[in-house]
Structures are given as structure tokens and as C-alpha cells.
Amino acid sequence: MARQRKGPKTTSSSAKRRDGGPPTPYKRPPEVLQPIIETFDEKHVYIMHIDNKPAAFKRKVFVVPVLMNLAIVLLFLFRVWYIAPYYLTLIMSALGYWNDTTMFIADMDDLVWEELYPIIARRAATFMLDTSLAVFLWPWPVEFAFGQTHGNPVAWRRQVGFRDREVVVRRSRKWSAALGDVVNDGEDGTNAARSFFLARLAQATNPMVLGEKTGYVLMDGDWDLDWGAMMDATTMVDKKMAAIEAFTLVILVYQDEYGWLVADLKGAVEAEQDGRRRQVLMFRDALAALGKEDLFYRWIEIVQYESSQPDGFGPERQEKAAGQIRELFAKEGVDFDQFWAESVGTDSASGIQA
């Protein structure tokens, strides 16, 4: 397992790297994973997890792309066999050996346009069809069996085989290149890029998704599978360099100041919940200082009632709850939006969704 890093490691990034601990929800990656982390491209985000689907199920899933790519190869070979003589006659005609495809300029005036148009259209359609097959369709089986940039599925299955427990490594697509700093807060104490980043990770690592789908079908518009990294991870497990449990849902992102970091989604959820609890307590204390603590409990009742309805707490429900809360506070001579902003320091919308 000695693949080279996919992207160059810049000295300026290393010079700016901090020695202190990263902010929540990030932490340093475990040392045992360093051999595979060193092969990762710093421009991408990586998700590693263990695929526990039965080996027999994985074998059935893998048969589908194998048959599909075989069908493409057969289709391509049939097309070559069928059309090659036609292209050969065109080439021979261009070289000066007249044949049925030769069109003489001197005789063009004698050709009826109704006869010329079908010839031109047929040749143009043939060229377009074969160009499309060569450019868009043929690369699929080539990449499937011989891809080198990030490995290929055939090489992965030849090395790993089919196991009940396999390490799956996903690599982000182009969207991660424009992420920006997802670690540090901005001047206003927030980080929109981090919120977007963590939300996308939460979607990709949803327990239902990981539990219901085998690794091969997790490729989509946001994530691709890194076949080479999956082979490296399997090699590490086979050579006892790391236990397979070390790959249990590891999310890796590179940041200039800290280097490679693990995004702890569980820690992010807990931090968000702690922040919400602090806001609620600050709001309660501010109302208590005005002698209106009863408003706090009536506010809780409205939010809990509306959020527990069968149709969920969507935008319409939130708007309804917002109207009730503002009316309730207005009757007591309190502007809810202004009071929430002054006592908690955030937009009043978070007070509606509490």
C-alpha cells in the first residue's frame, strides 16, 4: 500500500498549520489511519464506513454493472464490424480510389437536390452516432475495467473479492472545491459554509442510507467511490495495520491551518442542541427578569403543540406558530422579535423553531 498523494502538498499550508486542537465538531484523525490519509487529495472530502451487507447480496449487485458494460462492449464491437467497411470505402474514395461513395464535383449540377440531401443527412447522422458512441459510451467499460486515476471496480473486486464486511471510501465531487473554510467562524461568529457542509454530510451519512444500501450504489451527483482507497483500506485490514472498526464512519476534510480533520457529526448535533438549550435558558431568564415567566411556558406550549402535529412542523406550521406567539406576547406589551434578539442575540426565527 504505497500509492502517492493525489494532490501536491504545499509548504505554505504546512507552515500555517496549528498545533492546538480544532474547534467543535472537528478532531484530529487517529494515527492508525495515517497511511491511507497520506494518499488522499486535499481538494476532496472523504467518507469511510463499513458495508455490512451480505457478500451474496454484493455479488448480485455487482453483476448488474458487469452485464451492462459487457453489453456496451458487444454493442460497440458490433457497430465497428457493421460500419468499418463503410468508413473504409470513404477513406479509399478520399485517397482517389473511386467507389459507390464517391461524389464528383463536375457532376453536381446534374444531381437533383432531393437526392443530395438524403446522402448528406445519412452521412452526418452516421458520423454523429459513431462519435457519440466513441466519446460518451465507450469510456464507460474502459473506466470500469482499466481506470487508473482512482482505480476501477474490476481491480477492486479482484483484490477484495466479496466480503460480509467491506470498507467503503467515498470521495466528494467538484462541489467540495468551492467550500471555503468550514472550520473557523467568521467575524459574526457564524459559518455558513460549515452549516452547508455539515448538512450535506448528514444527508450522505444518514443511517437509513448506509443501512439500506450497499457501498457500490452510493455513487451520486455529490459523491464518487474511490476504488484505490478502498483497496488500500482493505490491504491495511488484511495486513493487521488497522482493525476494520477503525473505518467506522470516518469523515475527513483538509483545512490549511489544521491539516486533515475528522468531522464528528455526533459532536456537531450535540453542540447544536447545547446551543439551543442555552438560548432557551437565556430567553427564560430574560422573561423572568420582567416578571413574565408565565409567557415562557405558554411559548413552550405553542411550539410543542404545533411541532407535534401529524403533518410535521413545516413552513406553514411555523408561520402559524409565529403568529400565535407574536399575538400572545403583544397582549403582554412585549415585542417578541425585538425581545428575542435583545435577550438571545439571534434572529427570532430560531425562537419559533425551538
Side-chain angles (χ1 to χ4, degrees):
M1 203 208 86
R3 291 194 304 142
Q4 297 297 315
R5 179 185 294 277
K6 298 290 192 302
K9 185 176 180 179
T10 60
T11 55
S12 59
S13 298
S14 300
K16 293 191 295 182
R17 191 171 303 171
R18 293 182 181 178
D19 294 327
T24 304
Y26 300 98
K27 60 184 181 181
R28 302 287 186 184
E31 283 294 327
V32 72
L33 296 180
Q34 286 303 318
I36 191 171
I37 292 176
E38 290 176 357
T39 69
F40 287 168
D41 188 337
E42 297 168 359
K43 296 179 181 179
H44 294 278
V45 179
Y46 292 84
I47 299 178
M48 299 188 287
H49 78 278
I50 302 173
D51 183 358
N52 291 306
K53 288 292 184 182
F57 177 76
K58 295 169 184 171
R59 186 176 290 106
K60 292 178 181 178
V61 169
F62 194 70
V63 165
V64 176
V66 169
L67 294 178
M68 183 185 72
N69 282 280
L70 283 176
I72 292 174
V73 171
L74 293 176
L75 172 64
F76 198 84
L77 292 177
F78 171 77
R79 181 62 183 175
V80 170
W81 171 81
Y82 176 81
I83 204 66
Y86 175 69
Y87 282 116
L88 181 60
T89 58
L90 288 177
I91 294 173
M92 297 301 293
S93 176
L95 293 175
Y97 298 94
W98 301 341
N99 53 55
D100 293 341
T101 63
T102 304
M103 299 175 66
F104 297 98
I105 301 297
D107 297 336
M108 285 295 181
D109 294 337
D110 298 332
L111 284 176
V112 181
W113 282 105
E114 286 76 6
E115 297 178 357
L116 186 60
Y117 280 145
I119 297 175
I120 296 175
R122 185 165 56 251
R123 292 187 180 182
T126 300
F127 295 155
M128 290 180 61
L129 172 62
D130 293 328
T131 299
S132 299
L133 288 175
V135 174
F136 300 109
L137 201 59
W138 179 243
W140 288 7
V142 173
E143 189 67 23
F144 183 76
F146 306 105
Q148 297 296 320
T149 305
H150 300 288
N152 60 78
V154 172
W156 170 58
R157 278 305 179 198
R158 287 179 61 187
Q159 175 179 319
V160 176
F162 297 92
R163 310 183 184 191
D164 289 329
R165 303 184 75 194
E166 297 175 349
V167 178
V168 175
V169 182
R170 279 180 286 173
R171 183 186 66 257
S172 62
R173 294 186 184 268
K174 293 182 179 179
W175 62 267
S176 60
L179 267 180
D181 188 355
V182 298
V183 176
N184 297 312
D185 290 333
E187 294 181 358
D188 60 352
T190 63
N191 189 327
R194 181 174 61 210
S195 299
F196 168 80
F197 173 62
L198 294 177
R200 181 158 285 193
L201 289 181
Q203 182 180 8
T205 58
N206 186 298
M208 291 189 65
V209 173
L210 299 184
E212 294 178 0
K213 294 184 177 181
T214 186
Y216 193 88
V217 300
L218 290 177
M219 292 179 287
D220 55 26
D222 293 331
W223 302 94
D224 202 355
L225 291 176
D226 194 317
W227 313 106
M230 289 156 68
M231 290 188 285
D232 289 345
T234 304
T235 299
M236 290 177 64
V237 173
D238 291 345
K239 292 186 176 181
K240 310 299 182 183
M241 297 170 62
I244 193 171
E245 288 75 16
F247 297 93
T248 303
L249 196 54
V250 180
I251 303 169
L252 289 156
V253 60
Y254 186 85
Q255 204 265 354
D256 288 343
E257 298 179 20
Y258 296 98
W260 283 103
L261 295 173
V262 172
D264 184 3
L265 293 188
K266 183 178 179 181
V269 172
E270 292 176 351
E272 182 179 357
Q273 292 175 344
D274 288 342
R276 297 294 296 152
R277 281 192 289 267
R278 284 194 298 270
Q279 289 180 351
V280 170
L281 293 176
M282 291 167 64
F283 188 58
R284 183 198 64 184
D285 293 343
L287 286 172
L290 288 179
K292 298 183 181 294
E293 192 170 0
D294 59 316
L295 275 179
F296 171 78
Y297 296 106
R298 293 163 70 184
W299 164 70
I300 290 289
E301 289 176 0
I302 292 174
V303 173
Q304 288 184 343
Y305 175 78
E306 294 296 340
S307 61
S308 63
Q309 296 305 301
D311 55 349
F313 199 41
E316 293 183 1
R317 281 284 177 187
Q318 292 180 23
E319 187 63 29
K320 180 180 178 181
Q324 294 177 0
I325 291 171
R326 292 189 177 103
E327 182 180 355
L328 171 66
F329 276 68
K331 289 180 180 179
E332 297 292 332
V334 179
D335 185 319
F336 173 78
D337 298 292
Q338 180 180 352
F339 188 78
W340 179 275
E342 292 176 352
S343 59
V344 177
T346 62
D347 187 87
S348 61
S350 59
I352 307 298
Q353 301 167 358

